[in-house]
Each structure stands twice: as structure tokens, then as C-alpha cells.
Amino acid sequence: MEALVQVDSYQDDAPSPEELVMSKISHHAMLALLDCLPERCGRIVRLRKLEGWSQKKIAEHLGTTEKAVEKQVWLGVRLLREAWSRAEVDADERLVQSSSPVRVRRWWK
């Protein structure tokens, strides 16, 4: 009986196949947006957010100050958020515009 209770209460925290696909699509979309940032800003955001470098390490690597790195990360993340929001709004508008009644063709005819 206890085994049945455990089975009934089991929750699979693994992402569904749909969630995995959406995550991959989102990742590729974010990389594309990163490519649209100014070169220096994009490079710094990649090092900080994707590669996990510290601001100090980036500053030393690029021969600049930590404050300059911090400002570029802040600016880059802000620009990415704005671009992501615009892309979502555009996608929603396209969806609304295309939501005219859809005719379903019967495959058996």
C-alpha cells in the first residue's frame, strides 16, 4: 500500500519535451539578440553571463576598469530585455492578425 502512495505522489520535475524545445529555441533567440549588441558590449555580456567570468577577470582581460565592465553588462542586459520584449509583442501581434478562422481539411476525403 505504501508503494502505491509513493507512486501516486511522485512528481517528475524533468522538463517535458515541449519545454526542452522551447528552451532551445529561446537560447538560440537570445544568442541572435546578443549578436545585435554593439561589439564590445556583446563580448562583455557573453563573457560575464554565458562564460561566467568575473567582472574583475573581464576588466583585466580587456584592459579596462571593473566599473566599465559593470556598466557594459548593465547596458547589454537592458538592451537584451528590451529587444526580447519587443520580439514577444511582435509575435503576439502576428498571432492575433493570423487568428482568422482556420479551415480544417479532412484528410479522409
Side-chain angles (χ1 to χ4, degrees), residues 41-89:
C41 184
R43 184 174 182 200
I44 289 173
V45 171
R46 279 181 189 272
L47 292 173
R48 181 75 178 114
K49 297 297 184 180
L50 298 180
E51 302 293 328
W53 288 26
S54 68
Q55 289 183 180
K56 182 177 182 177
K57 184 177 178 181
I58 297 169
E60 289 171 356
H61 180 72
L62 298 178
T64 189
T65 65
E66 285 185 61
K67 191 69 175 170
V69 170
E70 180 181 350
K71 184 173 182 177
Q72 289 296 306
V73 170
W74 178 84
L75 176 65
V77 169
R78 192 190 88 209
L79 291 171
L80 288 172
R81 281 189 187 133
E82 289 172 2
W84 190 270
S85 293
R86 277 194 311 273
E88 285 183 332
V89 168

Side-chain angles (χ1 to χ4, degrees), residues 87-109:
E88 285 183 332
V89 168
D90 291 347
D92 288 345
E93 288 175 357
R94 284 193 305 272
L95 183 63
V96 168
Q97 290 172 358
S98 70
S99 65
S100 59
V102 177
R103 289 184 161 193
V104 177
R105 213 171 118 203
R106 294 183 184 159
W107 60 269
W108 60 88
K109 281 194 170 186

